[in-house]
Amino acid sequence: MTRWLTLALITVVATAGASWLAVPSAGLFVALFVALVFALAGWAPRSGVPRRWGIAAQAVLGVEIGTLVQRDALATLGDAWVPVVAACVGTLLLSIAAGALLGLRRDVDSLTGALALVAGGASGLVAIAQELGGDERIVAVVQYLRVVLVTTTMPIVAIVVFSAHGNGDAIIDTSDAGAPWLLDLAFVAICAAVGYLLARLIRLPAPGLLGPMIVVTAIDLLGVSIDGNVPALLLTAAYIGIGWQAGLKFTMDSLRMISRILPTALLLIIGITVGCAVLGLALAATTSMSAYDGYLATTPGGVYAVLAIAASTGANVTFVVAAQVIRVFMMLFAVPVGAKIVRHYRRP
């Protein structure tokens, strides 16, 4: 209990500091780093993160991702649906190809390589990596490397390449609004429970994540007005649980192994980022959107950062929102289903 309390206290304080510094996905990756230090120092709780905690964290995250879907935003795509979906499929194929290349290394299997380099839903992929049969430590580190690289280079590309400038508008508000927090908690609990049970019933892979995500998405697309959100503290707690789950499993051997694959992973992430930029230009050429809108719509990571930059630089926010949400959903659905198929055919 003392170890858990110490781990929690340090993680919370460090997460607050990282959030103040605008570190992307602060709760998840601070928790990963702190848990890693505890594991290597021999201070980690012996039991690790209970499986029930992991499933609960996945469910909260699934509800949060589901709330990203806005029917009005998707409706604005109009005739651009086909090019947007094609760009998302292109991103998926780029990710799979990069994952296959990473999987050529002897210390990384092909499934872990694919999970680590899929460009969409980093926190969700980390949460379900172990369940799908991948090494969640590698997935967590490489996914965070992708998020950091994309998030830090995006403003530079926007200014240098597209001559984008801030227009003084406020960035998109992702804070809780609308329903009181008790109703928000009830909304999360009901959607999580119903989604998880339905996903188990129809044997979906990663039911903790995909079930709640489907339920919340269906509620919005059916036009049911609930105005529910995931409370910020609850979402942060879910991120922390996912980070602990991966970080507490580190050893010195695994850390050395991951450090050896990072240069290769970095080159592949750069390749994916450049490839997605090309897809963005192709998207712009086949729609009425500008090249800048196409770039933001296909940027492979950091959804909230993308939306913030789009809003503050006068880009077509609704188009970017719709394209990014489709990308995240496609990745999070395709990867678990693909992993299930691979596991099925691997069985003797």
Side-chain angles (χ1 to χ4, degrees):
M1 182 59 68
T2 300
R3 294 187 179 197
W4 275 117
L5 291 175
T6 305
L7 176 63
L9 177 61
I10 295 176
T11 301
V12 169
V13 172
T15 299
S19 299
W20 183 75
L21 293 172
V23 173
S25 303
L28 172 61
F29 295 108
V30 166
L32 171 69
F33 177 76
V34 173
L36 182 154
V37 172
F38 269 60
L40 297 182
W43 304 333
R46 294 183 179 87
S47 59
V49 177
R51 186 172 182 273
R52 290 180 180 178
W53 291 14
I55 293 175
Q58 290 179 32
V60 171
L61 190 57
V63 174
E64 170 66 11
I65 295 170
T67 60
L68 289 176
V69 176
Q70 300 293 327
R71 188 172 60 166
D72 294 340
L74 294 179
T76 62
L77 288 178
D79 295 335
W81 263 100
V82 173
V84 167
V85 172
C88 293
V89 171
T91 302
L92 178 60
L93 294 177
L94 277 174
S95 301
I96 293 173
L101 290 174
L102 185 61
L104 293 176
R105 294 182 59 98
R106 294 180 180 179
D107 43 7
V108 182
D109 65 89
S110 57
L111 178 58
T112 297
L115 291 171
L117 287 171
V118 166
S123 53
L125 291 168
V126 174
I128 61 178
Q130 181 185 18
E131 188 173 345
L132 296 178
D135 188 328
E136 59 191 321
R137 297 166 299 186
I138 296 176
V139 174
V141 173
V142 176
Q143 283 286 349
Y144 186 52
L145 181 62
R146 174 181 63 83
V147 171
V148 169
L149 180 67
V150 172
T151 303
T152 53
T153 58
M154 204 187 323
I156 298 172
V157 173
I159 294 171
V160 174
V161 178
F162 298 100
S163 301
H165 299 285
N167 55 19
D169 293 342
I171 66 171
I172 291 178
D173 182 12
T174 59
S175 61
D176 294 346
W181 66 272
L182 282 176
L183 292 182
D184 283 342
L185 285 177
F187 167 75
V188 174
I190 293 171
C191 290
V194 172
Y196 178 72
L197 292 175
L198 286 177
R200 288 291 301 271
L201 184 64
I202 62 177
R203 298 185 178 181
L204 266 182
L209 178 75
L210 295 187
M213 191 168 73
I214 292 171
V215 167
V216 177
T217 301
I219 288 173
D220 186 84
L221 294 181
L222 290 173
V224 179
S225 179
I226 296 180
D227 197 24
N229 295 284
V230 179
L233 288 178
L234 180 60
L235 182 60
T236 300
Y239 280 147
I240 288 174
I242 293 167
W244 281 351
Q245 185 174 274
L248 291 176
K249 294 180 179 178
F250 271 88
T251 62
M252 286 303 300
D253 288 340
S254 65
L255 189 63
R256 281 192 289 266
M257 180 267 292
I258 291 173
S259 67
R260 289 195 297 269
I261 72 172
L262 283 182
T264 304
L266 178 60
L267 290 175
L268 291 171
I269 290 169
I270 293 173
I272 292 172
T273 304
V274 173
C276 287
V278 173
L279 288 172
L281 296 178
L283 178 61
T286 54
T287 63
S288 60
M289 298 299 116
S290 67
Y292 181 51
D293 292 332
Y295 164 72
L296 291 178
T298 57
T299 297
V303 173
Y304 288 122
V306 174
L307 303 188
I309 290 176
S312 63
T313 56
N316 189 328
V317 178
T318 53
F319 178 80
V320 173
V321 168
Q324 286 286 345
V325 167
I326 290 172
R327 175 181 64 84
V328 171
F329 267 66
M330 182 176 291
M331 301 300 165
L332 288 178
F333 273 106
V335 171
V337 173
K340 185 176 182 179
I341 293 172
V342 169
R343 288 204 312 270
H344 174 75
Y345 283 103
R346 276 183 178 176
R347 290 174 185 171

